[in-house]
PDB file of all heavy atoms in Angstrom:
ATOM      1  N   CYS A  94      -8.025  13.285  -7.709  1.00 97.00           N
ATOM      2  CA  CYS A  94      -9.214  13.118  -8.417  1.00 97.00           C
ATOM      3  C   CYS A  94      -9.086  13.685  -9.839  1.00 97.00           C
ATOM      4  O   CYS A  94      -8.622  14.807  -9.999  1.00 97.00           O
ATOM      5  CB  CYS A  94     -10.386  13.786  -7.682  1.00 97.00           C
ATOM      6  SG  CYS A  94     -11.924  13.475  -8.594  1.00 97.00           S
ATOM      7  N   GLN A  95      -9.463  12.905 -10.814  1.00 96.00           N
ATOM      8  CA  GLN A  95      -9.431  13.362 -12.190  1.00 96.00           C
ATOM      9  C   GLN A  95     -10.847  13.272 -12.776  1.00 96.00           C
ATOM     10  O   GLN A  95     -11.015  13.168 -13.993  1.00 96.00           O
ATOM     11  CB  GLN A  95      -8.464  12.508 -13.037  1.00 96.00           C
ATOM     12  CG  GLN A  95      -7.010  12.541 -12.513  1.00 96.00           C
ATOM     13  CD  GLN A  95      -6.358  13.927 -12.722  1.00 96.00           C
ATOM     14  OE1 GLN A  95      -5.958  14.237 -13.788  1.00 96.00           O
ATOM     15  NE2 GLN A  95      -6.289  14.697 -11.646  1.00 96.00           N
ATOM     16  N   GLY A  96     -11.854  13.278 -11.901  1.00 97.00           N
ATOM     17  CA  GLY A  96     -13.263  13.305 -12.372  1.00 97.00           C
ATOM     18  C   GLY A  96     -13.563  14.651 -13.022  1.00 97.00           C
ATOM     19  O   GLY A  96     -12.757  15.591 -12.975  1.00 97.00           O
ATOM     20  N   THR A  97     -14.724  14.753 -13.645  1.00 97.00           N
ATOM     21  CA  THR A  97     -15.070  15.929 -14.446  1.00 97.00           C
ATOM     22  C   THR A  97     -14.954  17.224 -13.669  1.00 97.00           C
ATOM     23  O   THR A  97     -14.312  18.192 -14.117  1.00 97.00           O
ATOM     24  CB  THR A  97     -16.504  15.768 -15.015  1.00 97.00           C
ATOM     25  OG1 THR A  97     -16.546  14.501 -15.657  1.00 97.00           O
ATOM     26  CG2 THR A  97     -16.773  16.854 -16.065  1.00 97.00           C
ATOM     27  N   ALA A  98     -15.628  17.278 -12.496  1.00 97.00           N
ATOM     28  CA  ALA A  98     -15.628  18.536 -11.734  1.00 97.00           C
ATOM     29  C   ALA A  98     -14.202  18.936 -11.377  1.00 97.00           C
ATOM     30  O   ALA A  98     -13.871  20.115 -11.480  1.00 97.00           O
ATOM     31  CB  ALA A  98     -16.472  18.341 -10.477  1.00 97.00           C
ATOM     32  N   CYS A  99     -13.384  17.959 -10.971  1.00 98.00           N
ATOM     33  CA  CYS A  99     -12.024  18.323 -10.580  1.00 98.00           C
ATOM     34  C   CYS A  99     -11.217  18.648 -11.835  1.00 98.00           C
ATOM     35  O   CYS A  99     -10.381  19.559 -11.782  1.00 98.00           O
ATOM     36  CB  CYS A  99     -11.384  17.138  -9.821  1.00 98.00           C
ATOM     37  SG  CYS A  99     -12.043  16.975  -8.186  1.00 98.00           S
ATOM     38  N   ALA A 134     -11.543   8.452 -10.163  1.00 95.00           N
ATOM     39  CA  ALA A 134     -12.516   9.078 -11.072  1.00 95.00           C
ATOM     40  C   ALA A 134     -13.348  10.143 -10.349  1.00 95.00           C
ATOM     41  O   ALA A 134     -13.695  11.140 -10.915  1.00 95.00           O
ATOM     42  CB  ALA A 134     -13.430   8.045 -11.693  1.00 95.00           C
ATOM     43  N   CYS A 135     -13.720   9.921  -9.116  1.00 96.00           N
ATOM     44  CA  CYS A 135     -14.460  10.941  -8.317  1.00 96.00           C
ATOM     45  C   CYS A 135     -14.375  10.564  -6.886  1.00 96.00           C
ATOM     46  O   CYS A 135     -14.599   9.407  -6.504  1.00 96.00           O
ATOM     47  CB  CYS A 135     -15.939  11.028  -8.730  1.00 96.00           C
ATOM     48  SG  CYS A 135     -16.841  12.230  -7.754  1.00 96.00           S
ATOM     49  N   LEU A 136     -13.988  11.497  -6.042  1.00 96.00           N
ATOM     50  CA  LEU A 136     -13.835  11.242  -4.617  1.00 96.00           C
ATOM     51  C   LEU A 136     -15.140  11.614  -3.856  1.00 96.00           C
ATOM     52  O   LEU A 136     -15.187  11.511  -2.641  1.00 96.00           O
ATOM     53  CB  LEU A 136     -12.691  11.983  -4.022  1.00 96.00           C
ATOM     54  CG  LEU A 136     -11.278  11.402  -4.387  1.00 96.00           C
ATOM     55  CD1 LEU A 136     -10.197  12.383  -4.052  1.00 96.00           C
ATOM     56  CD2 LEU A 136     -11.051  10.074  -3.692  1.00 96.00           C
ATOM     57  N   GLY A 137     -16.174  12.026  -4.603  1.00 95.00           N
ATOM     58  CA  GLY A 137     -17.453  12.322  -3.974  1.00 95.00           C
ATOM     59  C   GLY A 137     -17.433  13.647  -3.231  1.00 95.00           C
ATOM     60  O   GLY A 137     -18.269  13.850  -2.328  1.00 95.00           O
ATOM     61  N   ALA A 138     -16.486  14.511  -3.546  1.00 96.00           N
ATOM     62  CA  ALA A 138     -16.447  15.821  -2.858  1.00 96.00           C
ATOM     63  C   ALA A 138     -16.307  16.885  -3.916  1.00 96.00           C
ATOM     64  O   ALA A 138     -15.527  17.814  -3.802  1.00 96.00           O
ATOM     65  CB  ALA A 138     -15.232  15.859  -1.912  1.00 96.00           C
ATOM     66  N   CYS A 139     -17.122  16.742  -4.989  1.00 97.00           N
ATOM     67  CA  CYS A 139     -16.993  17.628  -6.183  1.00 97.00           C
ATOM     68  C   CYS A 139     -17.110  19.108  -5.837  1.00 97.00           C
ATOM     69  O   CYS A 139     -16.511  19.939  -6.485  1.00 97.00           O
ATOM     70  CB  CYS A 139     -18.062  17.240  -7.202  1.00 97.00           C
ATOM     71  SG  CYS A 139     -18.121  15.505  -7.576  1.00 97.00           S
ATOM     72  N   ALA A 142     -13.815  20.763  -5.460  1.00 97.00           N
ATOM     73  CA  ALA A 142     -12.880  20.502  -6.554  1.00 97.00           C
ATOM     74  C   ALA A 142     -11.901  21.645  -6.727  1.00 97.00           C
ATOM     75  O   ALA A 142     -12.278  22.764  -6.576  1.00 97.00           O
ATOM     76  CB  ALA A 142     -13.676  20.283  -7.851  1.00 97.00           C
ATOM     77  N   VAL A 144      -9.750  18.062  -5.883  1.00 98.00           N
ATOM     78  CA  VAL A 144      -9.633  17.391  -4.610  1.00 98.00           C
ATOM     79  C   VAL A 144      -8.586  16.256  -4.725  1.00 98.00           C
ATOM     80  O   VAL A 144      -8.414  15.664  -5.781  1.00 98.00           O
ATOM     81  CB  VAL A 144     -10.973  16.704  -4.222  1.00 98.00           C
ATOM     82  CG1 VAL A 144     -10.916  15.927  -2.939  1.00 98.00           C
ATOM     83  CG2 VAL A 144     -12.068  17.728  -4.167  1.00 98.00           C
TER      84      VAL A 144
HETATM   85  S1  LIG B 203     -14.984  14.946  -9.629  1.00 88.91           S
HETATM   86 FE1  LIG B 203     -13.453  15.185  -8.133  1.00 88.91          FE
HETATM   87  S2  LIG B 203     -14.520  14.852  -6.264  1.00 88.91           S
HETATM   88 FE2  LIG B 203     -15.987  14.492  -7.787  1.00 88.91          FE
END
Side-chain angles (χ1 to χ4, degrees):
C94 184
Q95 300 292 282
T97 309
C99 287
C135 178
L136 286 167
C139 310
V144 180

